[in-house]
Amino acid sequence: MPQSSNHIKKNSFLASIGMTSSRWSKANLPVAKEINESDAYLYGSGQTTVASLLGTDRRAARSRQQIYNKWSSMESDPIGSTAIGLLVTCALGGHETSGDLVFIEKTVEAKKNKRLAAVVDEISAALSPMINREARTIAYTGASFGDSYARIYSERSRGVVDLYTGEMIRPQLVQPFEKGNRTVGYAVYTGTRNFERLDVSQMARFKMPRTQWVPQFGVVEKAMRIAITEDNIENLPIMPSMAGGSLFYNAEGPYDNLYSSLVGIVGQRWLDSIDEQMLQVNLTSMTIEQQNRFLASIKAMLTSSKQRAEDAVKNGQPVLERIRHIIPTFNEKQLTTVSNANGGQTGRTNNISIEDIMLHARMYSGAIGVDLAMLGFADQLAGGLGEGGFFRMSAQAAENSRIIRNSLSEFIYHAIDIHTMHKYGTVFDPDKRPFTVNYYGSNLAQEAEKQRTKADSMNSGMILVQAMQQMKDIGATKEMMQEFLSKTMMLDEDQAKLYAPIVEMKDENPDDGSGGGPGFGQGFGQGKMDSAIEIDAPIIQNRKQRRRKGG
């Protein structure tokens, strides 16, 4: 079939500014056919196998359940849960009056079309309450485990009627399956048979980016079945998705070290709280009966003191009476030595310092993406970032939370697609959607950081303008100006070339009587202002003469 003239013109136009596809393919693609397995072994790469994905001793492969059990422990930890919650809060924000987190709004094109605008209004009215109710839960669970899910309940004429994010579809109980990078279904380990299949119209997935590989079992078997040389994504096999994407993964090491230190210091405090003494009783010249009676009396005295202290603590009542014990003596003292049970020492010589714990706590929170100063340890900012420390740390947390917002947007778009499919029989193409998912504003600290950056840029621009004006005033040439801008002012070469011709431009004098100085950067120097007045005088005189003549 002959190609259209427009297609031929388009191809010829693109070929004039680039390389044709056939020529590029001929030059770049056949070379890869020369790669063979023997060369890999000959050059020392033979040990590079899929087994390397199982990790090392420090990051050894674990089962999916072991990985999720670890992250579940970290999710319940005060520092970890607070850090994830702060990132989610920065990502979602919240309306100051209604508290809504997510807003489904019309695009510019949809506002011009009444029918599309009405569709978007209906989608927003139907889904916004459900999405705002579940958004924080979905984002928090997804950031903790790398995935989170919502069961979609829909009807043919009404669309999506509810979203369920409860404990029955926790990430530990759901195995997503993918074709390439596209989620195509789920295996849910709850129900009457402890195994149910769900498709993408029944469940929506919040998927965090897999920025780091988590070593786990099953990857070798997956590698043996995957068709890596297949170019058509539809021909790829359906494979289970590996666990990953959690913000806790990098923090596992500091988490273990932190709680090892905490266990050590708590155990030390418990041991040091035990006040135990050894009494040496002199039983010389006593009969057996006297010795037994004397020892029983000492034991009863100590037991009575212990019971009295326990009762005071249990009842919450202090002991206000004086306690006296009588120990009979004979020719010599009966209690000869009173010493501590630990050899007479008053405390431990090598204590676990609080600095050990703070070091691991900083590493733990920092690995998640939030500075420890944002989690209740504001004293950490005292000598570091100064008065604006809180804003700087808040802005950094807001930057780290962007990935949560992006993942949540994809989740919401999927839920809207299922709604429009059931209600309108249409699923919009991603680039033709008449709606966008927006969030309420930005983090205030992030806005302050933007304003500070903007002000610094404006100040730099004004300094550049003044420097250029002064270079022009002293008679710099175009080459001198370009060298000055590129070397001294550190501008790019293309910017320096663009600005350098300013020295060749002539000053233009305003004729509107505004009093502005002449030329580039008006108002530099009294001499220029005087010359401007002298030049403008005849122009003003000519205008007056034309007005008198009626011109």
Side-chain angles (χ1 to χ4, degrees):
M1 180 181 294
Q3 294 180 328
S4 64
S5 58
N6 291 336
H7 183 71
I8 295 175
K9 291 180 180 179
K10 182 178 179 181
N11 287 343
S12 60
F13 168 71
L14 295 177
S16 64
I17 59 175
M19 185 184 297
T20 61
S21 59
S22 59
R23 184 181 174 188
W24 184 91
S25 301
K26 185 177 180 180
N28 294 279
L29 301 184
V31 184
K33 297 180 180 179
E34 299 178 13
I35 301 173
N36 56 64
E37 189 175 1
S38 61
D39 289 337
Y41 279 96
L42 288 174
Y43 289 99
S45 301
Q47 299 301 319
T48 303
T49 64
V50 178
S52 62
L53 294 174
L54 296 179
T56 60
D57 294 337
R58 294 186 60 192
R59 294 288 187 179
R62 296 172 290 177
S63 67
R64 183 183 183 87
Q65 197 62 38
Q66 288 175 324
I67 295 171
Y68 280 145
N69 287 342
K70 182 69 174 183
W71 293 345
S72 180
S73 301
M74 300 176 71
E75 180 199 16
S76 61
D77 168 68
I79 293 180
S81 61
T82 305
I84 296 294
L86 180 61
L87 291 178
V88 171
T89 301
C90 291
L92 302 183
H95 195 276
E96 59 185 4
T97 54
S98 66
D100 289 344
L101 308 175
V102 181
F103 298 87
I104 303 174
E105 300 178 348
K106 296 182 283 289
T107 61
V108 177
E109 292 76 12
K111 292 179 181 179
K112 302 175 183 178
N113 190 318
K114 292 184 178 180
R115 296 181 62 184
L116 284 179
V119 169
V120 176
D121 289 337
E122 186 280 327
I123 293 174
S124 179
L127 297 184
S128 290
M130 290 182 283
I131 292 175
N132 280 291
R133 184 190 67 204
E134 306 294 347
R136 180 174 176 83
T137 302
I138 285 289
Y140 180 88
T141 305
S144 300
F145 295 95
D147 289 300
S148 61
Y149 309 93
R151 177 67 167 91
I152 300 176
Y153 296 98
S154 57
E155 297 179 3
R156 180 63 61 182
S157 59
R158 297 174 56 192
V160 176
V161 296
D162 199 8
L163 296 174
Y164 171 75
T165 60
E167 63 279 357
M168 292 297 101
I169 54 172
R170 292 275 290 176
Q172 296 92 323
L173 301 175
V174 179
Q175 172 65 71
F177 282 80
E178 297 176 334
K179 178 177 285 191
N181 199 39
R182 178 168 57 93
T183 304
V184 295
Y186 309 89
V188 184
Y189 296 96
T190 54
T192 56
R193 299 179 300 167
N194 200 26
F195 176 81
E196 299 292 341
R197 297 187 188 89
L198 296 179
D199 57 38
V200 292
S201 68
Q202 297 172 301
M203 183 172 286
R205 180 187 184 188
F206 175 102
K207 180 182 179 182
M208 291 283 286
R210 266 51 176 172
T211 54
Q212 272 197 321
W213 164 245
V214 181
Q216 53 197 290
F217 299 119
V219 66
V220 176
E221 292 80 0
K222 183 176 181 180
M224 295 174 65
R225 289 187 54 191
I226 198 74
I228 197 67
T229 58
E230 178 61 51
D231 293 326
N232 188 354
I233 192 173
E234 298 300 330
N235 295 333
L236 294 178
I238 298 176
M239 300 298 297
S241 174
M242 299 287 101
S246 172
L247 298 180
F248 283 139
Y249 177 65
N250 289 337
E252 288 184 7
Y255 169 80
D256 293 335
N257 293 334
L258 171 63
Y259 278 89
S260 296
S261 301
L262 285 175
V263 169
I265 197 170
V266 171
Q268 174 183 301
R269 296 292 186 265
W270 278 106
L271 291 177
D272 291 346
S273 67
I274 300 175
D275 186 7
E276 185 178 7
Q277 291 182 335
M278 300 180 68
L279 306 179
Q280 296 181 5
V281 183
N282 187 358
L283 303 178
T284 305
S285 70
M286 289 187 183
T287 64
I288 298 299
E289 291 78 9
Q290 290 174 340
Q291 292 178 3
N292 292 337
R293 258 194 301 171
F294 187 76
L295 291 177
S297 177
I298 295 293
K299 181 180 178 181
M301 179 187 69
L302 298 177
T303 303
S304 176
S305 298
K306 176 183 177 183
Q307 186 62 42
R308 188 177 291 107
E310 290 180 355
D311 292 341
V313 173
K314 184 184 301 182
N315 299 327
Q317 297 179 353
V319 179
L320 302 179
E321 60 181 354
R322 295 181 181 274
I323 303 172
R324 299 289 186 268
H325 297 283
I326 299 175
I327 301 176
T329 60
F330 297 93
N331 295 331
E332 55 189 12
K333 295 180 180 180
Q334 303 301 321
L335 296 178
T336 59
T337 305
V338 180
S339 62
N340 292 332
N342 60 356
Q345 297 179 4
T346 58
R348 296 183 180 272
T349 57
N350 294 322
N351 293 333
I352 298 178
S353 171
I354 192 64
E355 287 301 320
D356 299 335
I357 295 177
M358 294 304 296
L359 170 64
H360 298 308
R362 292 189 188 100
M363 295 179 65
Y364 177 32
S365 60
I368 297 175
V370 179
D371 193 87
L372 190 63
M374 299 296 299
L375 305 179
F377 297 87
D379 58 300
Q380 301 296 311
L381 294 176
L385 298 174
E387 190 174 330
F390 278 107
F391 279 103
R392 292 297 175 92
M393 302 316 303
S394 299
Q396 185 63 37
E399 291 293 337
N400 291 332
S401 65
R402 288 183 185 274
I403 57 175
I404 300 177
R405 179 180 289 190
N406 294 338
S407 299
L408 183 62
S409 297
E410 292 300 319
F411 168 87
I412 295 172
Y413 283 131
H414 180 77
I416 296 176
D417 289 343
I418 303 304
H419 178 78
T420 58
M421 179 187 69
H422 286 292
K423 187 174 181 65
Y424 302 104
T426 301
V427 175
F428 294 100
D429 293 334
D431 57 340
K432 297 180 181 179
R433 288 171 176 150
F435 50 82
T436 58
V437 174
N438 293 322
Y439 301 86
Y440 182 73
S442 300
N443 182 276
L444 293 179
Q446 190 179 25
E447 289 298 322
E449 198 74 9
K450 290 181 180 178
Q451 293 296 330
R452 186 180 296 108
T453 302
K454 184 177 180 180
D456 292 342
S457 299
M458 295 175 64
N459 290 334
S460 299
M462 293 301 297
I463 294 174
L464 177 63
V465 169
Q466 294 176 8
M468 292 171 61
Q469 177 63 52
Q470 293 176 7
M471 286 292 291
K472 181 180 179 181
D473 291 343
I474 63 177
T477 63
K478 179 180 177 181
E479 291 75 15
M480 294 171 60
M481 177 66 80
Q482 183 174 340
E483 185 75 9
F484 170 75
L485 293 177
S486 61
K487 296 299 186 342
T488 305
M489 303 302 290
M490 303 298 291
L491 294 184
D492 294 336
E493 289 291 339
D494 55 347
Q495 288 182 304
K497 291 180 180 179
L498 178 65
Y499 296 153
I502 196 70
V503 298
E504 299 176 351
M505 298 178 62
K506 296 181 179 180
D507 293 341
E508 295 182 1
N509 303 312
D511 58 357
D512 56 356
S514 61
F520 179 76
Q522 297 174 355
F524 283 87
Q526 184 63 32
K528 287 185 174 291
M529 182 64 71
D530 295 339
S531 62
I533 296 175
E534 295 174 359
I535 294 173
D536 287 346
I539 298 177
I540 297 173
Q541 188 66 27
N542 292 336
R543 286 181 179 174
K544 291 180 180 180
Q545 294 177 0
R546 286 199 301 270
R547 290 195 188 100
R548 292 170 185 168
K549 296 179 181 180

